[in-house]
CSV table of all heavy atoms in Angstrom, one decimal:
chain,number,residue,atom,x,y,z
P,1,LEU,N,-0.7,-21.4,-13.4
P,1,LEU,CA,-1.6,-20.3,-13.7
P,1,LEU,C,-1.2,-19.0,-13.2
P,1,LEU,O,-1.5,-17.9,-13.7
P,1,LEU,CB,-3.1,-20.6,-13.3
P,1,LEU,CG,-3.7,-21.9,-13.9
P,1,LEU,CD1,-5.1,-22.1,-13.4
P,1,LEU,CD2,-3.7,-21.8,-15.4
P,2,ASN,N,-0.5,-19.0,-12.1
P,2,ASN,CA,0.0,-17.8,-11.4
P,2,ASN,C,1.3,-18.1,-10.7
P,2,ASN,O,1.3,-18.7,-9.6
P,2,ASN,CB,-1.0,-17.3,-10.4
P,2,ASN,CG,-0.6,-15.9,-9.9
P,2,ASN,OD1,0.5,-15.5,-10.0
P,2,ASN,ND2,-1.6,-15.2,-9.3
P,3,PRO,N,2.4,-17.7,-11.3
P,3,PRO,CA,3.8,-18.1,-10.7
P,3,PRO,C,3.9,-17.5,-9.3
P,3,PRO,O,4.8,-18.0,-8.6
P,3,PRO,CB,4.7,-17.4,-11.7
P,3,PRO,CG,4.0,-17.2,-13.0
P,3,PRO,CD,2.6,-17.0,-12.5
P,4,LEU,N,3.2,-16.5,-8.9
P,4,LEU,CA,3.3,-16.0,-7.6
P,4,LEU,C,2.7,-16.8,-6.5
P,4,LEU,O,2.9,-16.7,-5.3
P,4,LEU,CB,2.7,-14.6,-7.5
P,4,LEU,CG,3.3,-13.5,-8.4
P,4,LEU,CD1,2.6,-12.2,-8.3
P,4,LEU,CD2,4.8,-13.3,-8.1
P,5,LEU,N,1.8,-17.8,-6.9
P,5,LEU,CA,1.2,-18.7,-6.0
P,5,LEU,C,1.8,-20.1,-6.1
P,5,LEU,O,2.3,-20.5,-7.2
P,5,LEU,CB,-0.3,-18.8,-6.3
P,5,LEU,CG,-1.1,-17.5,-6.2
P,5,LEU,CD1,-2.6,-17.7,-6.5
P,5,LEU,CD2,-1.0,-17.0,-4.7
P,6,THR,N,1.7,-20.8,-5.1
P,6,THR,CA,2.2,-22.2,-5.1
P,6,THR,C,1.0,-23.1,-4.9
P,6,THR,O,-0.1,-22.7,-4.6
P,6,THR,CB,3.3,-22.5,-4.0
P,6,THR,OG1,2.6,-22.5,-2.8
P,6,THR,CG2,4.3,-21.4,-4.0
P,7,ASN,N,1.2,-24.4,-5.0
P,7,ASN,CA,0.2,-25.4,-4.7
P,7,ASN,C,0.2,-25.8,-3.2
P,7,ASN,O,-0.6,-26.6,-2.8
P,7,ASN,CB,0.4,-26.6,-5.6
P,7,ASN,CG,0.1,-26.3,-7.1
P,7,ASN,OD1,-0.8,-25.6,-7.4
P,7,ASN,ND2,1.0,-26.9,-7.9
P,8,ASP,N,1.1,-25.2,-2.5
P,8,ASP,CA,1.1,-25.4,-1.0
P,8,ASP,C,0.2,-24.5,-0.3
P,8,ASP,O,0.4,-23.3,-0.3
P,8,ASP,CB,2.6,-25.2,-0.5
P,8,ASP,CG,2.8,-25.7,0.9
P,8,ASP,OD1,1.8,-25.6,1.7
P,8,ASP,OD2,3.9,-26.2,1.2
P,9,LYS,N,-0.9,-25.0,0.2
P,9,LYS,CA,-1.9,-24.1,0.9
P,9,LYS,C,-1.4,-23.4,2.0
P,9,LYS,O,-1.7,-22.2,2.3
P,9,LYS,CB,-3.1,-25.0,1.3
P,9,LYS,CG,-3.9,-25.6,0.1
P,9,LYS,CD,-5.1,-26.3,0.6
P,9,LYS,CE,-5.9,-26.9,-0.6
P,9,LYS,NZ,-7.1,-27.6,-0.1
P,10,ALA,N,-0.5,-24.0,2.8
P,10,ALA,CA,0.1,-23.4,4.0
P,10,ALA,C,0.9,-22.1,3.6
P,10,ALA,O,0.8,-21.1,4.2
P,10,ALA,CB,0.9,-24.3,4.8
P,11,VAL,N,1.7,-22.3,2.5
P,11,VAL,CA,2.5,-21.2,2.0
P,11,VAL,C,1.7,-20.1,1.5
P,11,VAL,O,1.9,-18.9,1.8
P,11,VAL,CB,3.5,-21.7,1.0
P,11,VAL,CG1,4.3,-20.5,0.4
P,11,VAL,CG2,4.5,-22.7,1.6
P,12,ASN,N,0.7,-20.4,0.7
P,12,ASN,CA,-0.2,-19.4,0.2
P,12,ASN,C,-1.0,-18.6,1.3
P,12,ASN,O,-1.1,-17.4,1.2
P,12,ASN,CB,-1.3,-20.0,-0.8
P,12,ASN,CG,-0.6,-20.4,-2.1
P,12,ASN,OD1,0.4,-19.8,-2.5
P,12,ASN,ND2,-1.2,-21.4,-2.8
P,13,SER,N,-1.4,-19.4,2.3
P,13,SER,CA,-2.2,-18.8,3.4
P,13,SER,C,-1.3,-17.8,4.1
P,13,SER,O,-1.7,-16.7,4.5
P,13,SER,CB,-2.7,-19.8,4.3
P,13,SER,OG,-3.3,-19.2,5.4
P,14,MET,N,0.0,-18.2,4.4
P,14,MET,CA,0.9,-17.3,5.1
P,14,MET,C,1.2,-16.0,4.2
P,14,MET,O,1.2,-14.9,4.8
P,14,MET,CB,2.2,-18.0,5.3
P,14,MET,CG,3.3,-17.2,6.1
P,14,MET,SD,4.8,-18.2,6.5
P,14,MET,CE,4.1,-19.5,7.5
P,15,ARG,N,1.4,-16.2,2.9
P,15,ARG,CA,1.6,-15.1,2.0
P,15,ARG,C,0.5,-14.1,2.1
P,15,ARG,O,0.6,-12.9,2.1
P,15,ARG,CB,1.9,-15.5,0.6
P,15,ARG,CG,2.2,-14.4,-0.3
P,15,ARG,CD,2.5,-14.9,-1.8
P,15,ARG,NE,3.8,-15.5,-1.8
P,15,ARG,CZ,4.0,-16.8,-2.1
P,15,ARG,NH1,3.0,-17.6,-2.4
P,15,ARG,NH2,5.2,-17.3,-2.2
P,16,HIS,N,-0.8,-14.6,2.0
P,16,HIS,CA,-1.9,-13.8,2.1
P,16,HIS,C,-2.0,-13.0,3.4
P,16,HIS,O,-2.4,-11.8,3.4
P,16,HIS,CB,-3.2,-14.6,1.9
P,16,HIS,CG,-3.4,-15.1,0.5
P,16,HIS,ND1,-4.1,-16.2,0.2
P,16,HIS,CD2,-2.9,-14.7,-0.7
P,16,HIS,CE1,-4.1,-16.4,-1.1
P,16,HIS,NE2,-3.3,-15.5,-1.7
P,17,ARG,N,-1.7,-13.6,4.5
P,17,ARG,CA,-1.7,-12.9,5.8
P,17,ARG,C,-0.7,-11.8,5.8
P,17,ARG,O,-0.9,-10.7,6.4
P,17,ARG,CB,-1.5,-13.9,6.9
P,17,ARG,CG,-2.7,-14.8,7.2
P,17,ARG,CD,-2.6,-15.4,8.6
P,17,ARG,NE,-1.4,-16.3,8.7
P,17,ARG,CZ,-1.4,-17.6,8.4
P,17,ARG,NH1,-2.4,-18.2,8.0
P,17,ARG,NH2,-0.2,-18.3,8.6
P,18,VAL,N,0.5,-12.1,5.2
P,18,VAL,CA,1.6,-11.1,5.2
P,18,VAL,C,1.1,-9.9,4.4
P,18,VAL,O,1.3,-8.7,4.8
P,18,VAL,CB,2.9,-11.7,4.7
P,18,VAL,CG1,3.9,-10.5,4.5
P,18,VAL,CG2,3.4,-12.7,5.7
P,19,ILE,N,0.5,-10.1,3.2
P,19,ILE,CA,0.1,-9.1,2.3
P,19,ILE,C,-1.0,-8.3,3.0
P,19,ILE,O,-1.1,-7.0,2.9
P,19,ILE,CB,-0.3,-9.6,1.0
P,19,ILE,CG1,0.9,-10.2,0.2
P,19,ILE,CG2,-1.0,-8.5,0.1
P,19,ILE,CD1,0.5,-10.9,-1.1
P,20,TRP,N,-2.0,-9.0,3.6
P,20,TRP,CA,-3.1,-8.3,4.3
P,20,TRP,C,-2.7,-7.4,5.4
P,20,TRP,O,-3.3,-6.3,5.6
P,20,TRP,CB,-4.0,-9.4,4.8
P,20,TRP,CG,-5.3,-8.8,5.4
P,20,TRP,CD1,-5.5,-8.7,6.8
P,20,TRP,CD2,-6.4,-8.3,4.8
P,20,TRP,NE1,-6.7,-8.2,7.0
P,20,TRP,CE2,-7.3,-7.9,5.8
P,20,TRP,CE3,-6.8,-8.1,3.5
P,20,TRP,CZ2,-8.6,-7.3,5.5
P,20,TRP,CZ3,-8.0,-7.5,3.2
P,20,TRP,CH2,-8.9,-7.1,4.2
P,21,ARG,N,-1.6,-7.8,6.1
P,21,ARG,CA,-1.2,-7.1,7.3
P,21,ARG,C,-0.1,-6.0,6.9
P,21,ARG,O,0.4,-5.3,7.8
P,21,ARG,CB,-0.6,-8.0,8.3
P,21,ARG,CG,-1.7,-8.9,8.9
P,21,ARG,CD,-1.1,-9.9,9.9
P,21,ARG,NE,-2.1,-10.8,10.5
P,21,ARG,CZ,-1.8,-11.8,11.3
P,21,ARG,NH1,-0.5,-12.0,11.7
P,21,ARG,NH2,-2.8,-12.6,11.7
P,22,MET,N,0.2,-5.9,5.6
P,22,MET,CA,1.2,-4.8,5.3
P,22,MET,C,0.6,-3.5,5.6
P,22,MET,O,-0.5,-3.2,5.3
P,22,MET,CB,1.5,-4.9,3.8
P,22,MET,CG,2.4,-6.1,3.4
P,22,MET,SD,2.7,-6.1,1.6
P,22,MET,CE,3.6,-4.6,1.4
P,23,PRO,N,1.4,-2.6,6.3
P,23,PRO,CA,0.9,-1.3,6.7
P,23,PRO,C,0.5,-0.4,5.5
P,23,PRO,O,1.2,-0.5,4.4
P,23,PRO,CB,2.1,-0.7,7.5
P,23,PRO,CG,3.3,-1.4,7.0
P,23,PRO,CD,2.8,-2.8,6.6
P,24,LYS,N,-0.6,0.3,5.6
P,24,LYS,CA,-1.0,1.2,4.5
P,24,LYS,C,0.0,2.4,4.5
P,24,LYS,O,0.6,2.8,5.5
P,24,LYS,CB,-2.4,1.7,4.7
P,24,LYS,CG,-3.4,0.6,4.6
P,24,LYS,CD,-4.8,1.2,4.8
P,24,LYS,CE,-5.9,0.1,4.7
P,24,LYS,NZ,-7.2,0.6,5.0
P,25,LYS,N,0.1,3.0,3.3
P,25,LYS,CA,0.9,4.2,3.2
P,25,LYS,C,0.3,5.3,4.1
P,25,LYS,O,-0.9,5.6,4.0
P,25,LYS,CB,0.9,4.7,1.7
P,25,LYS,CG,1.8,5.9,1.5
P,25,LYS,CD,1.8,6.2,0.0
P,25,LYS,CE,2.7,7.4,-0.3
P,25,LYS,NZ,2.7,7.8,-1.7
P,26,PRO,N,1.1,5.9,4.9
P,26,PRO,CA,0.6,6.9,5.9
P,26,PRO,C,0.2,8.2,5.2
P,26,PRO,O,0.8,8.6,4.2
P,26,PRO,CB,1.7,7.2,6.8
P,26,PRO,CG,2.9,6.8,6.0
P,26,PRO,CD,2.5,5.7,5.1
P,27,TYR,N,-0.9,8.9,5.7
P,27,TYR,CA,-1.3,10.2,5.2
P,27,TYR,C,-0.4,11.2,5.7
P,27,TYR,O,0.2,11.1,6.8
P,27,TYR,CB,-2.7,10.5,5.6
P,27,TYR,CG,-3.8,9.6,5.0
P,27,TYR,CD1,-4.9,9.2,5.7
P,27,TYR,CD2,-3.7,9.2,3.7
P,27,TYR,CE1,-5.9,8.4,5.1
P,27,TYR,CE2,-4.6,8.4,3.1
P,27,TYR,CZ,-5.7,8.0,3.8
P,27,TYR,OH,-6.7,7.2,3.2
P,28,LEU,N,-0.2,12.3,5.0
P,28,LEU,CA,0.5,13.5,5.5
P,28,LEU,C,-0.3,14.2,6.6
P,28,LEU,O,-1.5,14.4,6.5
P,28,LEU,CB,0.8,14.5,4.3
P,28,LEU,CG,1.6,13.9,3.2
P,28,LEU,CD1,1.6,14.9,2.0
P,28,LEU,CD2,3.0,13.6,3.6
P,29,SER,N,0.4,14.5,7.7
P,29,SER,CA,-0.3,15.2,8.8
P,29,SER,C,0.2,16.6,9.0
P,29,SER,O,-0.4,17.3,9.9
P,29,SER,CB,-0.1,14.3,10.1
P,29,SER,OG,1.3,14.2,10.3
P,30,ALA,N,1.1,17.1,8.2
P,30,ALA,CA,1.6,18.5,8.4
P,30,ALA,C,2.0,19.0,7.0
P,30,ALA,O,2.5,18.2,6.2
P,30,ALA,CB,2.8,18.5,9.4
P,31,PRO,N,1.9,20.3,6.8
P,31,PRO,CA,2.3,20.8,5.5
P,31,PRO,C,3.8,20.6,5.2
P,31,PRO,O,4.6,20.6,6.0
P,31,PRO,CB,2.0,22.3,5.6
P,31,PRO,CG,1.0,22.4,6.7
P,31,PRO,CD,1.3,21.3,7.6
P,32,ILE,N,4.0,20.3,3.9
P,32,ILE,CA,5.4,20.1,3.5
P,32,ILE,C,6.1,21.4,3.3
P,32,ILE,O,5.5,22.4,3.0
P,32,ILE,CB,5.5,19.2,2.2
P,32,ILE,CG1,4.8,20.0,1.0
P,32,ILE,CG2,4.9,17.9,2.4
P,32,ILE,CD1,4.9,19.3,-0.3
P,33,LYS,N,7.4,21.4,3.5
P,33,LYS,CA,8.2,22.7,3.4
P,33,LYS,C,8.5,23.0,1.9
P,33,LYS,O,9.3,22.3,1.3
P,33,LYS,CB,9.5,22.6,4.2
P,33,LYS,CG,9.2,22.5,5.7
P,33,LYS,CD,10.5,22.5,6.5
P,33,LYS,CE,10.3,22.5,8.0
P,33,LYS,NZ,11.6,22.5,8.7
P,34,THR,N,7.8,23.9,1.3
P,34,THR,CA,7.9,24.3,0.0
P,34,THR,C,7.4,25.7,-0.2
P,34,THR,O,6.6,26.2,0.5
P,34,THR,CB,7.2,23.3,-1.0
P,34,THR,OG1,7.3,23.8,-2.4
P,34,THR,CG2,5.7,23.3,-0.7
P,35,ASP,N,8.0,26.4,-1.2
P,35,ASP,CA,7.5,27.7,-1.5
P,35,ASP,C,6.6,27.7,-2.7
P,35,ASP,O,6.3,28.8,-3.3
P,35,ASP,CB,8.7,28.7,-1.7
P,35,ASP,CG,9.6,28.2,-2.9
P,35,ASP,OD1,9.4,27.1,-3.4
P,35,ASP,OD2,10.5,29.0,-3.3
P,36,LYS,N,6.2,26.5,-3.2
P,36,LYS,CA,5.3,26.3,-4.3
P,36,LYS,C,3.9,25.9,-3.8
P,36,LYS,O,3.7,25.7,-2.6
P,36,LYS,CB,5.9,25.3,-5.3
P,36,LYS,CG,7.2,25.7,-5.9
P,36,LYS,CD,7.7,24.6,-6.8
P,36,LYS,CE,8.9,25.0,-7.6
P,36,LYS,NZ,10.1,25.3,-6.7
P,37,MET,N,3.0,25.8,-4.8
P,37,MET,CA,1.7,25.3,-4.4
P,37,MET,C,1.7,23.9,-3.8
P,37,MET,O,2.5,23.0,-4.3
P,37,MET,CB,0.8,25.3,-5.7
P,37,MET,CG,0.2,26.6,-6.0
P,37,MET,SD,-1.1,27.1,-4.9
P,37,MET,CE,-1.5,28.8,-5.6
P,38,PRO,N,1.0,23.6,-2.8
P,38,PRO,CA,0.9,22.3,-2.2
P,38,PRO,C,0.4,21.3,-3.3
P,38,PRO,O,-0.4,21.6,-4.1
P,38,PRO,CB,-0.1,22.4,-1.1
P,38,PRO,CG,-0.1,23.8,-0.7
P,38,PRO,CD,0.1,24.6,-2.0
P,39,PRO,N,0.9,20.0,-3.3
P,39,PRO,CA,0.6,19.1,-4.3
P,39,PRO,C,-0.9,18.6,-4.3
P,39,PRO,O,-1.4,18.1,-5.3
P,39,PRO,CB,1.5,17.9,-4.0
P,39,PRO,CG,1.9,18.0,-2.6
P,39,PRO,CD,1.9,19.5,-2.3
P,40,GLY,N,-1.6,18.9,-3.2
P,40,GLY,CA,-3.0,18.4,-3.1
P,40,GLY,C,-4.0,19.4,-3.7
P,40,GLY,O,-5.1,19.1,-4.0
P,41,ILE,N,-3.5,20.7,-4.0
P,41,ILE,CA,-4.4,21.7,-4.4
P,41,ILE,C,-5.1,21.3,-5.8
P,41,ILE,O,-6.3,21.5,-6.0
P,41,ILE,CB,-3.7,23.1,-4.5
P,41,ILE,CG1,-3.3,23.5,-3.1
P,41,ILE,CG2,-4.6,24.1,-5.2
P,41,ILE,CD1,-4.5,23.8,-2.2
P,42,PRO,N,-4.3,20.8,-6.8
P,42,PRO,CA,-5.0,20.5,-8.1
P,42,PRO,C,-6.1,19.5,-7.9
P,42,PRO,O,-7.2,19.6,-8.6
P,42,PRO,CB,-3.9,19.9,-8.9
P,42,PRO,CG,-2.6,20.5,-8.4
P,42,PRO,CD,-2.9,20.6,-6.9
P,43,PHE,N,-6.0,18.5,-7.0
P,43,PHE,CA,-7.1,17.6,-6.8
P,43,PHE,C,-8.3,18.2,-6.1
P,43,PHE,O,-9.5,17.9,-6.5
P,43,PHE,CB,-6.6,16.4,-5.9
P,43,PHE,CG,-5.5,15.6,-6.5
P,43,PHE,CD1,-4.2,15.9,-6.3
P,43,PHE,CD2,-5.8,14.5,-7.2
P,43,PHE,CE1,-3.2,15.2,-6.9
P,43,PHE,CE2,-4.8,13.7,-7.8
P,43,PHE,CZ,-3.5,14.1,-7.6
P,44,ILE,N,-8.1,19.2,-5.3
P,44,ILE,CA,-9.3,19.9,-4.7
P,44,ILE,C,-9.9,20.8,-5.7
P,44,ILE,O,-11.2,20.8,-5.8
P,44,ILE,CB,-8.8,20.7,-3.5
P,44,ILE,CG1,-8.1,19.9,-2.4
P,44,ILE,CG2,-10.0,21.5,-2.9
P,44,ILE,CD1,-7.6,20.6,-1.2
P,45,VAL,N,-9.1,21.5,-6.5
P,45,VAL,CA,-9.7,22.3,-7.6
P,45,VAL,C,-10.5,21.5,-8.6
P,45,VAL,O,-11.6,21.9,-9.0
P,45,VAL,CB,-8.6,23.1,-8.2
P,45,VAL,CG1,-9.1,23.9,-9.5
P,45,VAL,CG2,-8.0,24.1,-7.2
């Protein structure tokens, strides 16, 4: 039903833990160096 999963519960459990613990994409903490409008401005507007 789902080729990404196996019938082995131990393997599936380990895969879920790995996916759950994958680090989130970090937020930008400083302005990027550009002479154009910052990419976040259209979302704020």
Side-chain angles (χ1 to χ4, degrees):
L1 298 179
N2 188 346
L4 296 178
L5 299 178
T6 73
N7 292 321
D8 189 326
K9 292 183 178 180
V11 174
N12 285 334
S13 178
M14 183 178 296
R15 180 179 287 118
H16 288 158
R17 286 198 298 271
V18 170
I19 293 174
W20 180 258
R21 293 176 181 176
M22 287 178 64
K24 294 181 180 179
K25 185 178 179 180
Y27 292 144
L28 297 173
S29 59
I32 60 176
K33 292 183 178 180
T34 178
D35 59 353
K36 297 181 173 61
M37 278 287 177
I41 294 298
F43 294 91
I44 302 176
V45 170

